[in-house]
Structures are given as structure tokens and as C-alpha cells.
Amino acid sequence: MSNWIDRNIKWVFTMPAVIFVGLMMVMPVGYTFWLSFHDWNMSNITPPLWVALQNYLDLFHDELFIKSLKLMFYFTIVAVAVETVLGVGLAVLMNQNIVGKGLVKTLFLLPMVATPVAVGLIWVLIYEPNIGIANVFLEKLGLPGQEWLTSQNLVMPSLIFIDVWEWTPMIALIVLAGLVSLPKDPYEAAMIDGANTWQSFSKITLPLLKPTLYSAVLLRMIDALKTFDIIYATTQGGPGTSSQTINIYGYVLGFQYFKIGQASALLMIFFIIVLSISIFTILLRNRAGVNL
Amino acid sequence: MSGKKPKPVKVILTHVGVYLSLFLFLLPFLWMLLASFKTQVQILDTSKLFEITASFKNYVSVFNEYSFLTFIWNSFIVGVGATIFGLILGLPAAYAIAKYKQQGLGLLILVARIVPGISFLIPWFIIFSKLNLIDTYTSLILSHMLVTMPFIIWVMIPFFEGLPHELEESARVDGCSIPSAFVRVMLPISGPGIVTSSILAFIFSWNNFMFSLILAGDKTKTLPIAVFNFISYSDINWGGLMAASVIITAPVLILALFAQKYIIAGLTGGSVKG
């Protein structure tokens, strides 16, 4: 017995985890796939009714679904772009000889580990039109106050701003780790050739940093596509549907309207989008010769 | 950087830049802390931004009127449970993946991070309802394990890769089976890695909102769900809400300071090395 275990140890040790992931993730996703071809409202009396592709066809005629897709991409692209630029800038600053660097690095961790729901609620207070500091600050500058989370035009930028606050430090810390491990020689050579700071940054640092940046952006993108907690805690998709990303719409369809079939179809599309973007980015990274 | 001494102006500007950014990133936390000690009147009057009647009234009401102790207990049980079972499944898996270079399996676990949690929420709800497990610790711990276990595996794979394997081999020579060599020799010297990966796993369970939103009920409501008690009415009890937010975030912020070295590793786990 003990011999058999030793011989098959790599399976004995990994199978429990693999079976768990299979039972809790792979099988349920399969179930969602099956449900996506049915019409059902979770009742015990009427069983799921086979409707083939109807749920998928309905979704593409559903304006709210198209809108939720656009909002998801809008949120992800803008947030990740801003976070990357700011994060790289911050990392370059932190890569200097800063007094108390260790402490600074540690404190920058706090936004990303704080409980997202609590973070969302803090920002609800900050954005509150009458009593929040966002508007108090604008007034001090002589600018008119804004309806941050309750105006249809401003709600997405306001949410993106929260995401930028929460996740720029992560990009900065990953990039900083990349910067620290860069070789010193190219810089010395460039200095002898008379390159200025900007030239050595754009011609040496950025190209060398490419693998690190790929990883950071990929991770951030995967998580930004799935943003749920912050949106739920601040606007729940509102006002109206102006911040209802696909994640929130799926939740609303499934757990508020109990349109199980349609929600499942939406979730399958969402699942495929997130998975293909991830695979695509990983392949792109490998093709670019990036190998970490 | 190397060679010439940087100019003093540049040094000062860099410091101003870093510390100003840090201040801006910490400002929301300071604001939450300030508000949690204010009375409702002080919060509602923007001319009294920094007037604080330093009192724990909000905190007392959070525990007395909103029975937060129950929710803290629920979050704690679920977090500890999900972490312990995550360790039981995750540690041997991480060890085997590291030792036998099972990259494929590592990748499978990585998928658990990529797949949107909401895409299995409907089946979970249906299955756990049929098993009468909604509003029980069992369903919450099982669901949170899908968060904790991958983090534990990602942090532990590089950790196990870095351990010296001579100790294990000598235990094997003495007649130990691989599982008992793992438990008696490898686990004890992995203390630091296990502690930090557990802290990380616990933080992510504590912060989890979506799974608890569906699977928790009145008896097992965790903190991120319970905090909405403050805004379910037309009036928001801002002081209480901010005190509750402090109570929720303070433990994870403190834990994060202990596990700081591994936080980035845990957050970026798998993908950087994938």
C-alpha cells in the first residue's frame, strides 16, 4: 500500500485539489452551459425547457446586454491604461533612493488588500454630492460640485477612478520589482553615448520591462473585466443601467429576475470572452519572445 | 543611479512625488477613520471637516444595534475554515507540482483565477439549495476554498521549489514513506511559507463578497454583506457605516503588513510564471 502511494505520489498529492476544482468549478460551468440552452425560472414545478439557441439569439437583440458589454470594455480599457501609465511613473519614482522606501512600499499595498465592499462604501461617502470631500475640494478650487455616482455621464469615470486608486499601486509594485532586476550595463553605455534621462527610459527601460508589463497588464485586465464588488457596493449598476457591466447584468438577470436560461447564456458568453482574452494575451506574450 | 551623485533638486522632487502620491492613496483610509469618530451632524456639515468629537459612540452602536460580533464571528469561521481546508488540499498539491514539475496541473489551478466567479454562481445556488446547504458554513467554506486554495498553491509552489531536498531524502533512506516524509520533514521547515500563504488566503476569504452574497443567509451573513445593513434605509448612518468599514478593513490591513512580502506574489501568482 505504502509502496503504491509512493510510486503514484504525484497523483495522490494533486488529485484531491484537482477533484475539488472539478467539482466546484468545471462541473458547475458545464451545468451553466447546459442551462443556457433552456428556459427556466428556478421553479420546482416546471422543469427547464429546451430552447436550443434561443437564449443566445435573444441576448444579441437585447440592448441592455450590448450596453453591458460596451461598459465592461470601456471600464477595463480605460482603467487598465490609466493604471499602467501611472503605475510605471510611480515605479520609476520609487526606484530612486527614497528615505523609508520599505515602509512606503508596504503602505502602497493597503488599497489593494482592503475589503472591496468597504472601499466602495468609503468612496460613496467621498463622492456624496453634499457632504463628500470630492465636492468640498472642487468648491475650494471654485469649481461647481458634481453628481459623481448619480449622473449618467459621470458614473463610469467615477468608478474607473476608484479602480485606478485601488490598483495603480499593484502595477507600480510589480513594475518596481522588474526595475530592480534590470541590468545596469546598458545604462552606463547609454550615459557614455550622451543619452538623456528620457531617451534611456524609452529606449532601454521600457523595452527591457516589456515582460513585466505584459504580466501586470494581463492580470489587471482579467480582474478589471470581472469587477463586481466595487460596482455593486457603490451604484449596483445605476443610475438606471448606466454602470451595469456584464457581471452586474448577469447577477440581476439570474438572481433578481430568475431568468436562469438567459442569465446562463450571458454568463457563458462572459466566460468565453474572459477566457479568450486571457489566452490571447498569454499567446501574444509568448510570441513576443517574452518568457518569464 | 550609478556613478554620478544625483542633484539635490532631483532628490527633493522625487521624495515629494513619492510621499505626495502615498498621501493621496492613503487619504480615503484617513477619511474613513476620521468619519468613524464623527457624529452624524459633523459629517453632514462640510464646514466642520476636521471637527471630531473623539468618541467611540459609532463603534459601540455597530456592536450593540447591528450585532456586528455575530458577523465578525461568521467571517472568521468561514475564513479560517476555508484556509485550513485550502491548506489540506493545497499544500500536497503545491509540493507535488513543484517537485515533479507538473506545469499542466499548475495551469489548471491558474484557470481557477481567470474564470469569472459569477459563471458558476447559478449552479452553486441550485445545487446547494437542493442539498439544503444555503445559509450554512459548509457551503460558504466550500465556495471560499475556491479562492483560498489557488492562492495557497501559487505561493507555495515557488516556496517548495526553493527548499533543500536533502533532508527529505535522508528521511526516505531511514524508511519514511513520501507522505510521512512530507508531513514530518518538509512541512515543519515550511513554516514561514505556510504562515504567509495562510494569511493571504484568509484575507481573500475575508474580503470575498460575491459568493457570500448568494450563499449566506441570516445565520451566516459575513461582514461584507452585513455592512449593507447601514444603507438599506433612506437615511444612511454615515458614522456607523464608516466605523463598520474600519472594523472590516483593519484586520486585513494589519495582516497584510505581516504578509507583505508575499502579497504581490499571491496577487500575481501563476500568471507571471505561467
Side-chain angles (χ1 to χ4, degrees):
Chain A
M1 182 66 191
S2 148
N3 261 333
W4 182 87
I5 291 175
D6 279 0
R7 260 185 288 120
N8 296 290
I9 196 73
K10 41 165 155 172
W11 305 117
V12 175
F13 270 15
T14 49
M15 272 309 120
V18 172
I19 291 169
F20 178 77
V21 171
L23 283 178
M24 289 296 288
M25 194 176 78
V26 182
M27 228 180 61
V29 171
Y31 193 5
T32 305
F33 186 60
W34 183 84
L35 283 169
S36 73
F37 299 110
H38 291 78
D39 189 17
W40 193 38
N41 60 3
M42 241 187 231
S43 85
N44 285 321
I45 305 147
T46 32
L49 177 76
W50 171 263
V51 294
L53 288 173
Q54 198 54 49
N55 288 323
Y56 290 91
L57 295 176
D58 286 349
L59 277 179
F60 285 102
H61 293 112
D62 178 0
E63 280 172 33
L64 282 178
F65 171 69
I66 306 295
K67 185 178 174 185
S68 71
L69 270 179
K70 286 183 187 158
L71 286 176
M72 173 185 75
F73 282 117
Y74 171 40
F75 181 88
T76 304
I77 293 169
V78 178
V80 176
V82 174
E83 283 156 22
T84 309
V85 173
L86 290 181
V88 171
L90 195 56
V92 169
L93 273 184
M94 285 167 73
N95 195 32
Q96 315 292 319
N97 289 317
I98 300 291
V99 178
K101 196 181 200 167
L103 185 66
V104 169
K105 269 160 67 179
T106 305
L107 291 175
F108 265 118
L109 287 173
L110 299 185
M112 66 178 106
V113 291
T115 311
V117 167
V119 165
L121 296 174
I122 298 168
W123 282 91
V124 171
L125 174 59
I126 292 175
Y127 279 146
E128 219 288 333
N130 300 311
I131 59 173
I133 38 168
N135 277 352
V136 172
F137 181 71
L138 286 187
E139 273 163 35
K140 292 252 148 75
L141 293 176
L143 296 168
Q146 301 292 328
E147 304 267 325
W148 300 100
L149 293 173
T150 46
S151 132
Q152 301 213 350
N153 296 323
L154 215 53
V155 65
M156 285 308 287
S158 304
L159 290 174
I160 289 172
F161 192 84
I162 303 179
D163 199 73
V164 167
W165 172 82
E166 201 181 357
W167 294 106
T168 299
M170 182 174 98
I171 304 253
L173 291 171
I174 296 175
V175 171
L176 181 62
L179 282 176
V180 171
S181 64
L182 291 186
K184 297 274 180 290
D185 314 1
Y187 292 97
E188 280 158 18
M191 230 160 76
I192 293 165
D193 291 345
N196 61 32
T197 315
W198 172 251
Q199 282 168 331
S200 66
F201 174 75
S202 60
K203 296 271 155 58
I204 306 174
T205 310
L206 275 186
L208 285 175
L209 215 53
K210 224 163 138 193
T212 314
L213 272 177
Y214 256 121
S215 305
V217 168
L218 168 66
L219 275 167
R220 208 35 235 132
M221 218 169 51
I222 294 170
D223 284 345
L225 287 168
K226 298 186 289 187
T227 305
F228 182 83
D229 302 13
I230 291 285
I231 301 179
Y232 190 94
T234 48
T235 68
Q236 305 200 12
T241 54
S242 8
S243 65
Q244 188 170 274
T245 56
I246 191 166
N247 219 343
I248 303 282
Y249 191 36
Y251 174 80
V252 169
L253 271 184
F255 291 98
Q256 281 173 13
Y257 300 143
F258 295 104
K259 293 183 176 172
I260 299 304
Q262 209 173 346
S264 299
L266 174 142
L267 295 175
M268 284 321 296
I269 295 174
F270 182 37
F271 170 78
I272 291 164
I273 292 174
V274 175
L275 212 61
S276 23
I277 291 179
S278 313
I279 293 170
F280 179 73
T281 324
I282 292 170
L283 288 180
L284 200 74
R285 194 180 74 166
N286 291 347
R287 252 183 88 182
V290 174
N291 214 346
L292 267 179
Chain B
M1 274 181 260
S2 56
K4 285 184 220 159
K5 270 220 155 147
K7 297 189 196 99
V9 180
K10 196 187 159 200
V11 173
I12 292 168
L13 282 180
T14 315
H15 276 81
V16 170
V18 168
Y19 280 99
L20 189 67
S21 326
L22 184 64
F23 175 72
L24 291 177
F25 278 100
L26 296 184
L27 196 59
F29 292 121
L30 296 179
W31 201 240
M32 158 181 80
L33 199 61
L34 276 180
S36 75
F37 289 109
K38 288 182 180 180
T39 62
Q40 185 83 347
V41 176
Q42 287 167 338
I43 294 177
L44 293 179
D45 186 348
T46 50
S47 64
K48 296 175 178 164
L49 272 189
F50 295 99
E51 186 179 297
I52 302 163
T53 317
S55 80
F56 286 92
K57 233 184 82 206
N58 292 322
Y59 289 88
V60 173
S61 93
V62 165
F63 284 105
N64 287 346
E65 291 164 41
Y66 297 91
S67 58
F68 246 52
L69 218 49
T70 320
F71 308 130
I72 294 177
W73 178 245
N74 288 342
S75 273
F76 182 77
I77 291 286
V78 173
V80 169
T83 305
I84 290 177
F85 289 110
L87 285 171
I88 293 174
L89 294 187
L91 287 177
Y95 180 73
I97 292 172
K99 192 171 173 189
Y100 303 102
K101 309 251 175 290
Q102 294 164 293
Q103 263 105 359
L105 281 181
L107 223 57
L108 177 78
I109 307 288
L110 174 66
V111 174
R113 162 159 193 154
I114 295 175
V115 174
I118 198 165
S119 47
F120 33 81
L121 227 45
I122 291 174
W124 278 7
F125 185 76
I126 295 170
I127 295 164
F128 284 126
S129 299
K130 289 212 168 123
L131 298 171
N132 275 325
L133 287 175
I134 299 286
D135 197 10
T136 62
Y137 290 133
T138 312
S139 63
L140 284 173
I141 289 175
L142 281 172
S143 67
H144 283 223
M145 274 171 71
L146 204 58
V147 180
T148 57
M149 196 188 72
F151 276 112
I152 289 168
I153 293 182
W154 290 320
V155 174
M156 292 312 288
I157 289 175
F159 190 88
F160 282 134
E161 279 171 351
L163 284 184
H165 286 269
E166 294 81 9
L167 283 171
E168 187 201 9
E169 276 149 30
S170 60
R172 294 271 293 136
V173 171
D174 291 343
C176 255
S177 67
I178 297 182
S180 80
F182 173 68
V183 172
R184 289 192 204 163
V185 181
M186 298 317 275
L187 285 188
I189 58 172
S190 308
I194 295 174
V195 169
T196 39
S197 69
S198 307
I199 289 178
L200 207 59
F202 180 80
I203 290 177
F204 285 102
S205 163
W206 182 274
N207 285 351
N208 182 284
F209 174 64
M210 194 197 267
F211 296 168
S212 307
L213 183 64
I214 302 299
L215 300 175
D218 289 335
K219 279 180 291 179
T220 54
K221 218 180 247 183
T222 55
L223 283 171
I225 314 292
V227 76
F228 284 98
N229 289 359
F230 290 89
I231 39 176
S232 45
Y233 310 102
S234 54
D235 248 355
I236 299 181
N237 172 2
W238 288 107
L241 186 65
M242 289 302 117
S245 300
V246 171
I247 292 168
I248 296 179
T249 43
V252 289
L253 297 189
I254 293 166
L255 282 176
L257 298 183
F258 283 107
Q260 43 143 326
K261 257 169 68 186
Y262 289 85
I263 298 269
I264 293 291
L267 284 168
T268 60
S271 177
V272 176
K273 283 207 162 182

